[in-house]
């Protein structure tokens, strides 16, 4: 499982460019920062008011945490600010990419990632603002949940936002959300076309330029 998540994180990292301002969701997306290609340095932003986060600390400073309550470090030149400023940055379109997980994504680019009815949750957090304000929204997740489809015709769980997802990257492949639906552009050699179609709960449009998933 860890190897599959690393595979996803490495492929997501290839979508980022040197100097991009990036927000990483909790869980798998946090692995992206440790898997960037050589020469690519991104500026990590956190909703609770940090710009310029560094690597995980060897000795945590209990006063420095990200929005997921994880201990973090701050790079030279990094800064702290209040939540109003942080969400001004997000809503103002100054975040180049946000990478987050999902409970469900559908063929329209709708996203459900914050609540399963009847279960306790801490709240939506900044996801609703991030997926609307960021210039590019990438969902990084395992393709299925215990064999159940997560990529669907229509989301069944409450929406985080609609028509917001640009790209989905899983251990099986890379998909782009386009007007015509979800288009498979890269397929990992570990899987066949029939296997990824079976694991997807909507029609998967195969790009005429389909290639092996980059690693």
């Amino acid at each position: 499982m860890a190897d599959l998540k690393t595979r996803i994180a490495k492929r997501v990292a290839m979508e980022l460019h040197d100097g991009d301002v990036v927000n990483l969701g909790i869980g798998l997306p946090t692995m992206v920062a440790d898997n960037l290609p050589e020469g690519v340095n991104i500026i990590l932003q956190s909703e609770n008011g940090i710009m310029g986060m560094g690597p995980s600390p060897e000795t945590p400073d209990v006063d420095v945490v990200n929005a997921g309550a994880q201990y973090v470090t701050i790079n030279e030149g990094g800064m702290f600010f209040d939540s109003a400023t942080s969400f001004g940055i997000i809503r103002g379109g100054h975040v180049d990419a946000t990478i987050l997980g999902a409970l469900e994504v559908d063929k329209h680019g709708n996203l459900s990632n914050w609540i399963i009815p009847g279960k306790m949750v801490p709240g939506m957090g900044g996801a609703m603002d991030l997926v609307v304000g960021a210039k590019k929204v990438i969902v990084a997740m395992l393709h299925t949940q215990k064999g159940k489809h997560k990529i669907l015709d229509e989301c069944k769980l409450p929406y985080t936002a609609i028509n917001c997802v640009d790209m989905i990257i899983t251990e099986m492949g890379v998909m782009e959300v386009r007007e015509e639906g979800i288009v498979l552009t890269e397929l990992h050699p570990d899987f066949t076309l029939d296997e990824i179609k079976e694991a997807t709960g909507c029609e998967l449009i195969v790009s005429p330029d389909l290639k092996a998933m980059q690693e």
Side-chain angles (χ1 to χ4, degrees), residues 64-79:
V64 184
V65 296
N66 63 16
Q70 298 167 306
Y71 296 123
V72 295
T73 59
I74 306 298
N75 289 327
E76 185 176 352
M79 62 191 75

Side-chain angles (χ1 to χ4, degrees), residues 52-112:
M53 288 184 293
S56 300
E58 293 181 9
T59 304
D61 180 339
V62 296
D63 292 320
V64 184
V65 296
N66 63 16
Q70 298 167 306
Y71 296 123
V72 295
T73 59
I74 306 298
N75 289 327
E76 185 176 352
M79 62 191 75
F80 300 96
F81 33 77
D82 60 25
S83 290
T85 301
S86 184
F87 279 87
I89 291 168
I90 293 167
R91 295 171 184 172
H94 304 293
V95 175
D96 294 295
T98 186
I99 298 151
L100 68 173
L103 296 169
E104 295 176 345
V105 184
D106 69 27
K107 65 183 180 182
H108 308 291
N110 300 328
L111 172 68
S112 298

Side-chain angles (χ1 to χ4, degrees), residues 4-201:
L4 294 180
K5 290 182 177 181
T6 300
R7 173 193 297 176
I8 297 167
K10 285 182 176 179
R11 180 59 189 84
V12 172
M14 294 179 188
E15 294 298 313
L16 305 178
H17 306 94
D18 198 41
D20 278 353
V21 174
V22 179
N23 184 287
L24 302 177
I26 61 174
L28 191 161
T30 61
M31 298 171 65
V32 172
D34 296 323
N35 288 281
L36 292 168
E38 189 175 348
V40 174
N41 294 294
I42 60 174
I43 302 166
L44 287 177
Q45 185 263 354
S46 184
E47 305 98 285
N48 60 327
I50 306 175
M51 185 74 78
M53 288 184 293
S56 300
E58 293 181 9
T59 304
D61 180 339
V62 296
D63 292 320
V64 184
V65 296
N66 63 16
Q70 298 167 306
Y71 296 123
V72 295
T73 59
I74 306 298
N75 289 327
E76 185 176 352
M79 62 191 75
F80 300 96
F81 33 77
D82 60 25
S83 290
T85 301
S86 184
F87 279 87
I89 291 168
I90 293 167
R91 295 171 184 172
H94 304 293
V95 175
D96 294 295
T98 186
I99 298 151
L100 68 173
L103 296 169
E104 295 176 345
V105 184
D106 69 27
K107 65 183 180 182
H108 308 291
N110 300 328
L111 172 68
S112 298
N113 84 331
W114 77 283
I115 189 172
I116 298 175
K119 293 194 176 183
M120 290 283 289
V121 291
M124 185 178 283
M128 181 172 61
D129 293 273
L130 281 160
V131 294
V132 174
K135 295 171 186 172
K136 186 171 186 176
V137 176
I138 302 173
V139 168
M141 65 178 187
L142 293 170
H143 205 95
T144 60
Q145 176 65 32
K146 296 181 179 178
K148 293 184 178 180
H149 293 149
K150 295 172 71 175
I151 303 172
L152 307 168
D153 272 318
E154 305 281 347
C155 288
K156 299 173 184 177
L157 296 172
Y159 290 137
T160 303
I162 61 172
N163 306 125
C164 61
V165 178
D166 298 300
M167 181 175 281
I168 306 165
I169 298 178
T170 74
E171 77 280 12
M172 300 183 86
V174 177
M175 291 141 278
E176 294 179 4
V177 182
R178 301 179 186 172
E179 189 173 342
E180 62 268 32
I182 295 178
V183 179
L184 179 69
T185 59
E186 297 179 23
L187 176 64
H188 196 277
D190 283 354
F191 302 96
T192 66
L193 198 52
D194 285 341
E195 285 174 330
I196 192 170
K197 285 182 176 180
E198 186 177 344
T200 305

